[in-house]
Amino acid sequence: MSLNSQTTSSRAIPATRRVILSDAAQLPHDYSSTPGGTLFSTTPGGTRIIYDRKFLLDCRSSPLAHTPPSCLPDIPGVTSPPKNNKTHPRERVSCSSSIPPVDKATGEDAQFEMDI
Amino acid sequence: MNNKFDALKDDDSGDHDQDNGSPKDGEKERNEDEEKDQNTTKKKAVVPGAGEHPLQYNYTFWYSRRTPGRPASTQSYEQNIKQIGSFASVEQFWRFYSHMIRPGDLTGHSDFHLFKEGIKPMWEDDANKSGGKWIIRLRKGLASRCWENLILAMLGEQFMVGEEICGAVVSVRFQEDIISIWNKTASDQATTARIRDTLRRVLNLPPNTIMEYKTHTDSIKAWEDFHGLVNASGGR
């Protein structure tokens, strides 16, 4: 994209915004962000769905993220129930669909009631 | 998409075995049967639910554990590996992750694998066979945090290497834990360098941390040398 050409029909880059950093520590932690915010149109390998760590961690608190997955196999000591021991993973093993959002979870645990 | 597991099975049969000169057809068949059972409930493609944040790729969690008391060489790796499930969105990922024990609390000789859906966490998979992995050995106590940082970076497409990433593994061992990230093309130095740099950044590793790149061809050779060429494509 050329800034000084008057002949092309492309539009100028909108308002320049400068972000002054006084220390390297203020640099974002990931390649996909620029100081002051995320700004990118394409990335190497094409347009991709990019999330930084903080965003992903924030999603964890969404009610959508709490429903136990359907079809979770019971592997003792590995797919343990969360926080308390009220739920029994074994009950969840049999199911016909792997599309998780639909949840027919065992209902006993308060944490899951709000999803239903 | 319905038959993605059939596609996987095809990968394992016929020419694939010949490629590896693997002399254990009987065992292979048994594995396929087991796998069929394991996967009968998972034929449908996983898709992001309403209001969820889609990921660039679907991923599958796997778990493997070496059965105590049996030497590794008599066990098929594929026999010991179990699918935990696949997901297509950030929220679906958390559902699995929150219902799985953290790697630092695993016991014995076990591994979690998180691979793109359709890629088996095996050297011999088509996506892996020309690939390799970065390996980082961790002292005990660091695995859970490092694993979480590693997989969040992978799911969030922080590596910026196009289609190159295949998956990630955390291996719990006796005196140390190991995390690794696998990519498709071991000979692509620009890619492997970029993965290394991203790893340093996302894992927040101390500067003296040793990172080692190992091609799967070397891993296979080392494994075969060690086990006297028995049971080639199987164990680790």
Side-chain angles (χ1 to χ4, degrees):
Chain A
M1 189 181 307
S2 160
L3 278 177
N4 56 8
S5 164
Q6 302 299 318
T7 57
T8 65
S9 58
S10 62
R11 284 185 284 161
I13 294 173
T16 305
R17 186 160 71 102
R18 284 182 192 282
V19 178
I20 311 290
L21 300 183
S22 54
D23 190 274
Q26 294 169 306
L27 280 168
H29 288 289
D30 47 84
Y31 287 146
S32 62
S33 302
T34 45
T38 298
L39 178 68
F40 52 86
S41 54
T42 58
T43 49
T47 303
R48 308 185 79 78
I49 306 173
I50 293 168
Y51 300 114
D52 64 19
R53 181 173 178 273
K54 185 180 176 304
F55 179 85
L56 292 169
L57 289 169
D58 288 347
C59 287
R60 190 174 196 173
S61 55
S62 154
L64 293 170
H66 292 165
T67 335
S70 53
C71 302
L72 186 71
D74 180 22
I75 306 173
V78 178
T79 50
S80 60
K83 321 218 159 85
N84 64 45
N85 290 319
K86 276 192 194 164
T87 55
H88 304 285
R90 212 164 264 128
E91 291 172 11
R92 290 189 225 121
V93 177
S94 58
C95 62
S96 53
S97 155
S98 74
I99 298 175
V102 250
D103 98 286
K104 45 185 343 268
T106 62
E108 239 170 57
D109 191 319
Q111 190 182 328
F112 304 125
E113 276 170 12
M114 66 185 159
D115 298 323
I116 294 172
Chain B
M1 242 355 224
N2 264 356
N3 51 4
K4 60 183 186 273
F5 292 104
D6 294 332
L8 279 179
K9 271 186 289 182
D10 289 340
D11 273 354
D12 269 341
S13 56
D15 56 350
H16 200 111
D17 277 349
Q18 280 156 22
D19 284 350
N20 296 307
S22 152
K24 51 169 191 90
D25 290 340
E27 189 171 322
K28 206 64 156 189
E29 268 171 42
R30 201 166 67 233
N31 291 340
E32 282 184 11
D33 288 341
E34 275 171 19
E35 216 176 275
K36 222 181 285 165
D37 294 338
Q38 206 178 358
N39 294 326
T40 40
T41 54
K42 304 192 177 184
K43 286 274 161 70
K44 284 189 187 146
V46 185
V47 292
E52 296 181 351
H53 296 84
L55 291 166
Q56 178 71 38
Y57 299 97
N58 290 5
Y59 289 85
T60 305
F61 266 121
W62 305 73
Y63 168 74
S64 60
R65 183 171 206 275
R66 183 185 291 179
T67 316
R70 294 176 67 191
S73 57
T74 66
Q75 292 178 50
S76 157
Y77 175 70
E78 209 173 356
Q79 240 173 301
N80 281 335
I81 191 159
K82 288 190 168 65
Q83 272 192 44
I84 294 175
S86 299
F87 55 87
S89 70
V90 180
E91 288 77 6
Q92 289 168 8
F93 157 72
W94 284 121
R95 281 178 216 155
F96 279 105
Y97 186 82
S98 310
H99 289 81
M100 289 161 56
I101 196 172
R102 310 216 325 148
D105 300 325
L106 282 171
T107 53
H109 188 289
S110 35
D111 306 73
F112 277 129
H113 317 249
L114 181 59
F115 275 69
K116 285 178 182 166
E117 191 177 44
I119 301 180
K120 282 187 187 177
M122 301 180 70
W123 301 322
E124 300 83 357
D125 190 280
D126 278 346
N128 296 322
K129 64 186 181 195
S130 314
K133 59 183 172 183
W134 278 106
I135 304 173
I136 302 165
R137 294 168 191 280
L138 302 167
R139 62 179 166 78
K140 285 290 181 186
L142 298 176
S144 296
R145 183 174 60 94
C146 286
W147 171 241
E148 182 172 296
N149 287 338
L150 174 63
I151 62 179
L152 291 182
M154 181 172 78
L155 299 176
E157 286 292 318
Q158 297 290 317
F159 286 93
M160 302 288 179
V161 288
E163 312 272 308
E164 271 288 324
I165 301 292
C166 296
V169 184
V170 58
S171 306
V172 175
R173 297 296 180 262
F174 180 52
Q175 281 173 319
E176 61 178 6
D177 300 321
I178 302 164
I179 55 172
S180 55
I181 183 152
W182 293 28
N183 75 298
K184 267 184 194 153
T185 320
S187 57
D188 180 350
Q189 289 185 6
T191 289
T192 55
R194 189 164 216 164
I195 296 172
R196 180 199 58 215
D197 295 347
T198 309
L199 279 175
R200 280 194 193 284
R201 182 169 56 84
V202 300
L203 298 180
N204 231 333
L205 295 168
N208 60 348
T209 308
I210 295 166
M211 300 176 62
E212 183 190 344
Y213 192 82
K214 210 167 173 182
T215 67
H216 298 323
T217 328
D218 284 350
S219 300
I220 292 170
K221 211 183 298 162
W223 191 92
E224 287 174 350
D225 289 347
F226 186 75
H227 293 286
L229 277 169
V230 225
N231 224 357
S233 79
R236 298 293 189 271

